[in-house]
Amino acid sequence: MTTHPIATVHGYPRQGPGRELKRATEAYWAGHATAADLLATAAKLRRDVWQQLAATGIGEIPSNHFSLYDHVLDAAFMLGAVPPRHRAAAPADARPGTPEHMLAVYFAAARGTADVAPLEMTKWFDTNYHYLVPELGPDTVFRADPGKPLTEFAEAKLLGHTTRPVLLGPISFLLLSKPHADAPAGFQPLTLLDRLLPVYAEILADLRAVGAEWVQLDEPALVQDRTPAELDATARAYRDLTALTSRPRLLVASYFDALGEALPVLARTAVEGLALDFTGPAAANLPALASLGGLPGKRLVAGVVDGRNIWTAHLEQALATSATLLGLANHVDIAPSCSLLHVPLDATAERDLDPQVRRWLAFARQKTDEVVTLARGLAEGRDTIAPQLAANRAARDSRATSTLTHDPAVRARCAAVRPEDARRTTPYTERATAQHARLGLPALPTTTIGSFPQTADLRTARAELRAGRIDAAGYRERMAAEIREVIAFQEKTGLDVLVHGEPERNDMVQYFAEQLTGFLTTRHGWVQSYGTRYVRPPVIAGDVSRPHPMTIDWYRCAQDLTDRPVKGMLTGPVTMLAWSFVRDDQPLADTVRQVALALRDEVTDLEAAGAAVVQVDEPALRETLPLRRTAHASYLAWATEAFSLTTSGVRADTQIHTHMCYAEFGDILSAIDDLDADVISLEAARSAMAVAAELATAGYPREAGPGVYDIHSPRVPTTEEITGLLRTALAHLPAERLWVNPDCGLKTRHWAEVRPALENLVAAARAVRATLATPDGGR
């Protein structure tokens, strides 16, 4: 370790500049590439990142942050915590120890197979990334399998880089896991800590043996509210790991929020370094560290550049914070606040953006430049980076004074909102009666969440429109043809409430962002959501309004084809924020209110066009919940108000649906009630209908559709499986308030899976409906 500050990063985007990893992985899944092909592509991407980081001036390069699918899944494999059903899923001709066998087991855990369910997937803290949840029980036997971190360390060493391997720490691994299906009630994975620590000790010894000087153990779970028992377990874990005689120096990393009560616990351990976030709410780490007396004798990696947003950093403020930290640790290095996994690769690739706007943006490559600049300024003095500080100041001033960022009309409309504008005027019980009379649906009505498969033909049509090979009229006809096919399939299958399938939508957020003022969209700003699913989050750069209707023509196109109700489909205001890169120059509550008012206009227009059902999706409501309970109430207040402001302008007989997926809902059930939606659909298939019990326990009074078809797996659920899930749901929720639907939209699935899955869904609903005491289930 050098004596002067250096720049480092916690991790880097995995996909490659042309999403090479996605293409190679999907080619392997489709049988168009071999295991060797996929692994060679992955190795080249790793090499390219290491070389690029070194060329930028990153003084300590990480390794083992790369993943073929998910880093938590990688940790489960490293620790031998792979469910038996996945170990048994490899083809008979794949010999154990071969790449083919390893990948078969790995992707069975990630995606499932025709016969084997995958691991559950949920949100990585309050980010837009999803991780796979390890399954543990009292019978779990951990075994060290450090092949991946050892291989990647060796690959980098051949290039001349002694890297810092990054591992998920033992406390966070256990806290992020869940009991497996056969675990006894009340089992807590953290009770396996004493069994797990010797496996970590073995892996650390192996890394030291090959030359690793530092190893980073990520403990992001410690920034959440933790119990005294969990903090005691943390102290014990790092007491035991630092007592090892053969190990690298340990850097324990946290991010996304302040460590709070975990900071003194870690500071008292013998770990050689801590990596702390000093951005956003985690800025509270600075006074907490000062009141603690700093970290004498330890290394501090200071996350002073926001690793989750895409705005250029305030370099002068970051430099001042870094200078203050110099007096609080034995050695200070500079880093982004977290892994750069959460931002796109390179802002300079966005040539379609106004050059002035591009100056405001910092993607992964620009953030590495920023931390290198800050480390140099801290080491050599402010004057050595004067040109960079001046350019940074000019970019920030340009943004602050731009006409793009402020619209007086939008601000006046927001200021005029009254509390009653965010409330429906008719109580739910009266609305339900009016809606049932208008819709005339059977018991256990069936529907889907919104999107149908985005086929190659649809993607080709969009590409041809962008390239000018077809005109707008030709594009509309292709989309209309797809809508006709989707409506015909739903009618033939017997679904009760239909959707138009969203063929015209490239993404549920980007589609609207492209039509709302104040949003910017990128061409190359891809960010990993999970596995090979990448999204291009829009950028909210200015005040938001709706210049024209966005969905009305497509809704009419579909509704004119059928006598059954077709849902109007919108993305909600909180999700529009959560799945975008949001402006950081005003409170989130102000921005979300602007979006809500724009969407309110669209809801009103859909109702005027004849929509009896309007769905406003809020899958991000739970995932955006602050990590600390003390911040929950203020967030939920503005989030629920935004949804209500969007939907409260409709008549009593217009049914408002919402949808949420892939998060833990138990701690926001009161807020879900506050949304006052008439129907909510929720992910439930992978969690065995747990949310149905949670809704019942909370006394949720409205209609709900806990999902019965896991759409993130290629598996086609059988009629019997869906029937079983419905009966489980009916044990908790009355038939008159239960809907039948998939977990989520079907965009990422293929028609060959969707057709039989939905046919089975309808068959299951009919079979269970036939067993009810009354034909209409009390509706």
Side-chain angles (χ1 to χ4, degrees):
M1 173 65 62
T2 58
T3 57
H4 60 77
I6 61 170
T8 188
V9 297
H10 295 298
Y12 205 73
R14 302 159 178 165
Q15 67 264 29
R19 289 184 295 157
E20 291 86 353
L21 182 61
K22 170 185 172 68
R23 292 181 170 85
T25 305
E26 292 178 350
Y28 172 73
W29 291 342
H32 302 320
T34 66
D37 294 332
L38 173 56
L39 296 177
T41 297
K44 182 180 185 305
L45 291 172
R46 291 194 294 269
R47 290 194 301 270
D48 290 347
V49 167
W50 292 326
Q51 297 290 56
Q52 183 247 311
L53 291 175
T56 301
I58 295 297
E60 185 181 57
I61 296 171
S63 61
N64 199 48
H65 55 92
F66 182 89
S67 179
L68 290 175
Y69 201 97
D70 169 50
H71 58 278
V72 181
L73 179 63
D74 295 345
F77 273 71
M78 180 185 74
L79 301 170
V82 181
R85 70 180 185 276
H86 299 134
R87 290 191 182 279
D93 59 350
R95 298 194 322 277
T98 63
E100 290 77 10
H101 185 276
M102 181 274 290
L103 290 178
V105 175
Y106 184 83
F107 288 129
R111 306 173 68 232
T113 68
D115 304 310
V116 174
L119 294 173
E120 182 183 350
M121 185 162 59
T122 195
K123 287 289 183 174
W124 177 246
F125 299 91
D126 58 349
T127 75
N128 292 330
Y129 179 80
H130 303 70
Y131 77 94
L132 290 157
V133 183
E135 298 174 1
L136 307 177
D139 55 344
T140 297
V141 177
F142 297 110
R143 293 185 299 274
D145 184 4
K148 180 180 182 296
L150 291 173
T151 296
E152 294 185 17
F153 182 85
E155 290 174 352
K157 201 166 187 180
L158 286 174
L159 298 172
H161 310 303
T162 299
T163 56
R164 181 185 73 246
V166 179
L167 312 178
L168 184 61
I171 299 298
S172 291
F173 176 78
L174 293 174
L175 291 175
L176 293 170
S177 298
K178 73 169 192 176
H180 65 54
D182 296 325
F187 171 75
Q188 297 294 325
L190 191 60
T191 60
L192 301 177
L193 180 63
D194 291 337
R195 193 184 304 176
L196 179 63
L197 289 176
V199 178
Y200 268 89
E202 183 179 344
I203 293 167
L204 291 172
D206 288 343
L207 287 167
R208 183 71 191 101
V210 297
E213 298 171 4
W214 285 86
V215 166
Q216 177 175 323
L217 293 173
D218 282 358
E219 294 287 10
L222 295 180
V223 306
Q224 297 174 297
D225 298 308
R226 302 267 62 110
T227 66
E230 291 164 343
L231 295 174
D232 288 345
T234 301
R236 186 171 81 253
Y238 285 98
R239 179 199 66 201
D240 290 359
L241 292 179
T242 54
L244 300 172
T245 56
S246 177
R247 65 170 177 85
R249 286 173 284 185
L250 299 182
L251 177 71
V252 177
S254 64
Y255 33 82
F256 302 147
D257 211 322
L259 269 174
E261 61 275 13
L263 179 57
V265 173
L266 289 173
R268 286 193 295 265
T269 69
V271 298
E272 286 80 7
L274 294 182
L276 303 180
D277 183 351
F278 293 96
T279 66
N285 273 327
L286 179 52
L289 192 61
S291 66
L292 195 65
L295 300 172
K298 294 189 190 296
R299 175 191 184 189
L300 172 64
V301 174
V304 294
V305 169
D306 189 345
R308 293 178 55 179
N309 215 326
I310 46 72
W311 302 108
T312 240
H314 193 311
L315 291 185
E316 290 172 322
Q317 284 186 359
L319 188 62
T321 299
S322 303
T324 300
L325 292 170
L326 282 175
L328 295 175
N330 186 58
H331 179 90
V332 176
D333 292 321
I334 304 301
S337 60
C338 61
S339 171
L340 297 177
L341 170 71
H342 306 290
V343 295
L345 269 172
D346 187 2
T348 64
E350 301 302 331
R351 304 194 184 280
D352 292 345
L353 291 180
D354 183 317
Q356 178 184 358
V357 173
R358 201 161 59 232
R359 293 168 59 203
W360 306 346
L361 306 180
F363 293 178
R365 288 195 175 183
Q366 288 70 45
K367 289 183 186 296
T368 59
D369 290 337
E370 289 178 337
V371 296
V372 168
T373 295
L374 290 167
R376 183 183 174 199
L378 200 60
E380 302 175 17
R382 179 189 180 94
D383 290 347
T384 63
I385 60 170
Q388 291 91 333
L389 292 177
N392 176 262
R393 191 181 310 113
R396 289 185 291 103
D397 290 346
S398 164
R399 181 179 167 211
T401 58
S402 171
T403 56
L404 173 66
T405 59
H406 295 86
D407 183 334
V410 171
R411 292 178 177 245
R413 186 183 183 195
C414 285
V417 170
R418 303 163 301 168
E420 55 266 33
D421 294 331
R423 290 193 294 267
R424 296 185 77 173
T425 57
T426 307
Y428 168 70
T429 53
E430 295 178 25
R431 300 198 311 262
T433 299
Q435 291 160 14
H436 292 172
R438 181 179 182 186
L439 292 169
L441 299 174
L444 307 180
T446 55
T447 189
T448 65
I449 302 306
S451 62
F452 267 69
Q454 283 279 317
T455 64
D457 287 345
L458 295 176
R459 292 192 293 270
T460 298
R462 271 197 292 277
E464 289 179 344
L465 178 66
R466 287 194 302 268
R469 290 192 290 271
I470 60 173
D471 60 14
Y475 176 75
R476 284 194 298 271
E477 177 48 39
R478 290 200 191 184
M479 298 302 105
E482 181 71 13
I483 290 171
R484 288 193 291 272
E485 180 178 339
V486 167
I487 292 293
F489 166 75
Q490 292 174 92
E491 287 193 317
K492 179 181 177 182
T493 303
L495 288 160
D496 298 306
V497 176
L498 313 187
V499 296
H500 78 287
E502 305 177 11
E504 79 288 357
R505 302 186 190 183
N506 44 13
D507 175 84
M508 66 181 290
V509 172
Q510 185 176 354
Y511 174 80
F512 294 100
E514 289 174 343
Q515 301 183 73
L516 293 170
T517 62
F519 279 82
L520 305 174
T521 57
T522 66
R523 184 178 291 270
H524 305 288
W526 297 102
V527 176
Q528 187 179 22
S529 175
Y530 64 88
T532 62
R533 168 73 169 146
Y534 289 85
V535 295
R536 285 180 295 168
V539 177
I540 305 180
D543 290 339
V544 177
S545 61
R546 185 197 74 147
H548 53 74
M550 300 178 286
T551 65
I552 307 305
D553 288 346
W554 300 117
Y555 165 76
R556 286 179 173 142
C557 175
Q559 188 64 81
D560 287 347
L561 297 169
T562 181
D563 293 329
R564 300 182 193 185
V566 175
K567 290 192 280 191
M569 298 296 307
L570 303 176
T571 301
V574 177
T575 300
M576 289 295 296
L577 255 69
W579 292 0
S580 299
F581 292 117
V582 185
R583 62 189 302 180
D584 58 356
D585 59 347
Q586 69 179 19
L588 290 175
D590 293 352
T591 304
V592 80
R593 179 174 283 191
Q594 295 178 0
V595 178
L597 287 171
L599 294 173
R600 181 185 178 96
D601 295 341
E602 190 73 13
V603 172
T604 302
D605 283 350
L606 280 166
E607 184 182 57
V613 181
V614 178
Q615 181 169 310
V616 180
D617 288 343
E618 285 290 19
L621 183 73
R622 170 59 181 83
E623 73 192 41
T624 313
L625 191 71
L627 299 178
R628 294 283 182 177
R629 291 189 188 94
T630 53
H632 286 188
S634 61
Y635 159 73
L636 290 171
W638 62 251
T640 55
E641 183 212 53
F643 180 89
S644 298
L645 188 59
T646 300
T647 58
S648 62
V650 298
R651 302 192 309 265
D653 64 350
T654 297
Q655 192 172 70
I656 295 294
H657 287 224
T658 190
H659 169 67
M660 299 179 190
C661 60
Y662 291 92
E664 303 296 330
F665 303 111
D667 51 0
I668 64 160
L669 286 174
S670 63
I672 291 175
D673 191 16
D674 291 342
L675 296 178
D676 200 20
D678 301 303
V679 181
I680 182 170
S681 56
L682 298 155
E683 176 273 328
R686 283 198 188 188
S687 58
M689 217 36 81
V691 74
E694 293 173 346
L695 290 170
T697 300
Y700 186 73
R702 298 175 184 80
E703 299 178 36
V708 295
Y709 165 23
D710 172 19
I711 65 85
H712 289 286
S713 169
R715 287 189 72 246
V716 173
T718 65
T719 301
E720 292 71 24
E721 287 178 66
I722 297 173
T723 299
L725 288 171
L726 285 177
R727 294 196 185 284
T728 300
L730 283 168
H732 302 287
L733 300 173
E736 66 268 20
R737 292 198 282 113
L738 187 64
W739 285 65
V740 184
N741 46 259
D743 272 346
C744 201
L746 303 170
K747 175 181 178 178
T748 60
R749 298 269 53 90
H750 299 291
W751 273 106
E753 303 152 2
V754 166
R755 286 191 180 93
L758 291 182
E759 288 166 355
N760 292 348
L761 181 150
V762 170
R766 287 173 174 169
V768 176
R769 188 183 296 151
T771 69
L772 298 178
T774 58
D776 65 355
R779 291 181 68 86

